[in-house]
């Protein structure tokens, strides 16, 4: 079956760095997305990786290893507003998005 | 760019009534729109995929006669929850993409439905 695994919850300190991991098992693979979702709001797009390696976008970076079925989202210089859920989603061979349950990130002062 | 709007943002209705939710792509033409449902503290659950001018494709377990989807134009899709019941109370979110395989989905702000 198809499956996305990511930690349920993580806690980090304001100003620090946090890495949110995601492993995936899908029938075929056409890329991996990260979305941010604040409580009570819809997800917003953060990144898309389809090739191996690191994509940097400001304070956020996303990494992909297709051979390992693994991705991570790296958040630097954490701010209180980064407290949110981070959703990992993989695109399978039918270009359907398979969603993870999300990682709730709690930022402490 | 890639802004998606949803209306209404919040609706409270009585059991047995029907509720229509609109999803619009404001600055792009969306060949494909998706409807999701999300219960508290759970991940997104895809309900259906709709392509402009054709019938929606529903996910397994989603009743097509209860959740009517109409994608009448390249910028508008509607979801009608017919004969709503309290168990239909949820956060309904639409997303849209411009077309082509692997295109990023952009989400609307969501509609919170409460059925009394």
């Amino acid at each position: 079956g198809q499956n996305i695994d990511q930690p349920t919850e993580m806690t980090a300190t304001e100003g620090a760095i946090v890495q949110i991991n995601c492993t995936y098992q899908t029938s075929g693979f056409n890329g991996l997305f990260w979305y941010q979702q604040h409580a009570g709001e819809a997800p917003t797009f953060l990144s898309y990786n389809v090739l191996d390696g690191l994509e940097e976008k400001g304070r956020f970076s996303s990494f992909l290893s297709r051979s390992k079925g693994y991705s991570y989202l790296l958040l630097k210089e954490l701010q209180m507003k980064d407290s949110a859920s981070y959703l990992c989603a993989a695109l399978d061979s039918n270009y359907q998005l398979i969603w993870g349950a999300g990682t709730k990130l709690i930022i402490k002062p | 760019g890639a802004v998606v709007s949803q209306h209404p943002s919040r609706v409270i209705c009585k059991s047995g009534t029907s509720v229509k939710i609109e999803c619009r792509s404001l600055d792009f033409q969306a060949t494909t729109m998706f409807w999701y449902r999300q219960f508290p503290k759970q991940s997104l659950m895809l309900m259906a995929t709709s392509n402009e001018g054709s019938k929606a494709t529903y996910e397994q377990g989603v009743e097509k006669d209860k959740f009517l989807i109409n994608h009448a134009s390249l910028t508008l899709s509607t979801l009608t929850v017919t004969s709503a019941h309290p168990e239909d109370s949820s956060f309904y979110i639409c997303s849209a993409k411009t077309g082509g395989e692997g295109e990023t989905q952009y989400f609307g702000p969501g509609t919170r439905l409460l059925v009394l």
Side-chain angles (χ1 to χ4, degrees):
Chain A
Q2 309 203 93
N3 192 50
I4 306 280
D5 280 319
Q6 52 182 131
T8 305
E9 188 174 294
M10 298 182 71
T11 303
T13 306
E14 190 177 14
I17 299 173
V18 72
Q19 178 175 309
I20 303 173
N21 296 324
C22 170
T23 57
Y24 62 88
Q25 290 177 309
T26 54
S27 45
F29 178 75
N30 283 297
L32 189 124
F33 291 85
W34 283 95
Y35 284 83
Q36 179 191 59
Q37 186 177 25
H38 284 100
E41 299 180 13
T44 55
F45 170 75
L46 288 179
S47 67
Y48 171 64
N49 294 64
V50 67
L51 299 176
D52 288 348
L54 186 69
E55 297 265 352
E56 296 186 71
K57 198 184 290 186
R59 294 189 299 113
F60 293 7
S61 303
S62 56
F63 171 84
L64 175 68
S65 168
R66 289 172 298 173
S67 62
K68 295 181 180 178
Y70 167 70
S71 172
Y72 68 71
L73 180 69
L74 190 72
L75 293 78
K76 302 177 185 175
E77 300 168 19
L78 286 170
Q79 301 174 9
M80 297 304 292
K81 67 178 182 179
D82 297 330
S83 292
S85 284
Y86 291 85
L87 306 173
C88 171
L91 210 54
D92 71 7
S93 58
N94 294 321
Y95 291 92
Q96 290 256 50
L97 268 181
I98 311 300
W99 291 90
T103 298
K104 183 179 179 181
L105 178 63
I106 300 168
I107 310 294
K108 294 185 175 179
Chain B
V3 179
V4 178
S5 72
Q6 233 177 290
H7 179 80
S9 58
R10 181 183 292 258
V11 59
I12 302 173
C13 68
K14 290 183 179 179
S15 186
T17 60
S18 294
V19 175
K20 180 187 279 190
I21 303 170
E22 290 187 351
C23 177
R24 293 181 186 272
S25 55
L26 298 186
D27 53 359
F28 66 101
Q29 292 187 325
T31 54
T32 306
M33 287 185 168
F34 303 86
W35 286 97
Y36 291 87
R37 182 165 53 183
Q38 187 177 34
F39 292 105
K41 298 185 180 181
Q42 294 187 24
S43 188
L44 299 170
M45 189 192 82
L46 179 65
M47 298 175 68
T49 303
S50 74
N51 294 295
E52 185 265 338
S54 63
K55 288 184 179 179
T57 303
Y58 289 81
E59 295 299 300
Q60 197 170 8
V62 178
E63 299 173 57
K64 60 179 69 174
D65 294 331
K66 180 169 182 64
F67 298 100
L68 301 178
I69 291 172
N70 185 7
H71 193 161
S73 76
L74 284 171
T75 58
L76 173 65
S77 177
T78 60
L79 167 69
T80 302
V81 183
T82 61
S83 187
H85 291 285
E87 57 265 29
D88 298 324
S89 298
S90 186
F91 191 39
Y92 292 86
I93 314 172
C94 75
S95 70
K97 64 175 190 173
T98 54
E101 308 292 11
E103 285 280 332
T104 300
Q105 289 184 33
Y106 294 94
F107 285 85
T111 296
R112 196 161 296 283
L113 171 64
L114 177 61
V115 185
L116 301 176

